Amino acid sequence: MWFYVDVQEDQLLAGMRPGDVGFGQESAERFGTIVTIVNGKPTKAEYPTDTPPTYAAFYQTLADALAGKGKPAASAEEARDVIRIIELARESSKVGKVLDF
């Protein structure tokens, strides 16, 4: 199964623009599902994707941070930690064992 990272590119190519109703929102076929055990039986539930901020909001946050008018979306420490997690995940897959973070 293929999972899409972001719907905005396809929407832009189809002529939608930031600010249009539904821009940045995932279609129902991309909603998440979870299966839990309820009274001993598997129960499947669908979860719509949260309405995300669009690229326009991301770049406005970035511009504000660069201009000293706001905070960046993530701190340097958070970015460092994410990179380390990705590195450890790749190494873990390569060596076939769990690695400590």
Side-chain angles (χ1 to χ4, degrees), residues 20-95:
D20 289 352
V21 173
F23 184 78
Q25 294 178 338
E26 300 284 351
S27 59
E29 64 266 8
R30 292 188 184 177
F31 288 175
T33 58
I34 186 169
V35 177
T36 56
I37 305 299
V38 177
N39 297 324
K41 296 182 181 180
T43 302
K44 183 177 179 180
E46 187 176 85
Y47 286 87
T49 304
D50 288 338
T51 302
T54 63
Y55 284 133
F58 170 81
Y59 286 114
Q60 186 61 58
T61 299
L62 176 61
D64 290 345
L66 291 172
K69 298 177 183 175
K71 293 184 178 183
S75 69
E77 293 80 10
E78 290 168 326
R80 176 204 59 210
D81 291 347
V82 168
I83 292 169
R84 184 65 183 140
I85 290 167
I86 292 168
E87 290 171 340
L88 286 169
R90 293 182 74 181
E91 182 67 17
S92 173
S93 177
K94 184 178 178 179
V95 300

Side-chain angles (χ1 to χ4, degrees), residues 5-23:
V5 175
D6 196 323
V7 71
Q8 294 176 79
E9 183 176 356
D10 289 339
Q11 289 175 336
L12 289 168
L13 292 171
M16 287 184 80
R17 295 291 174 249
D20 289 352
V21 173
F23 184 78

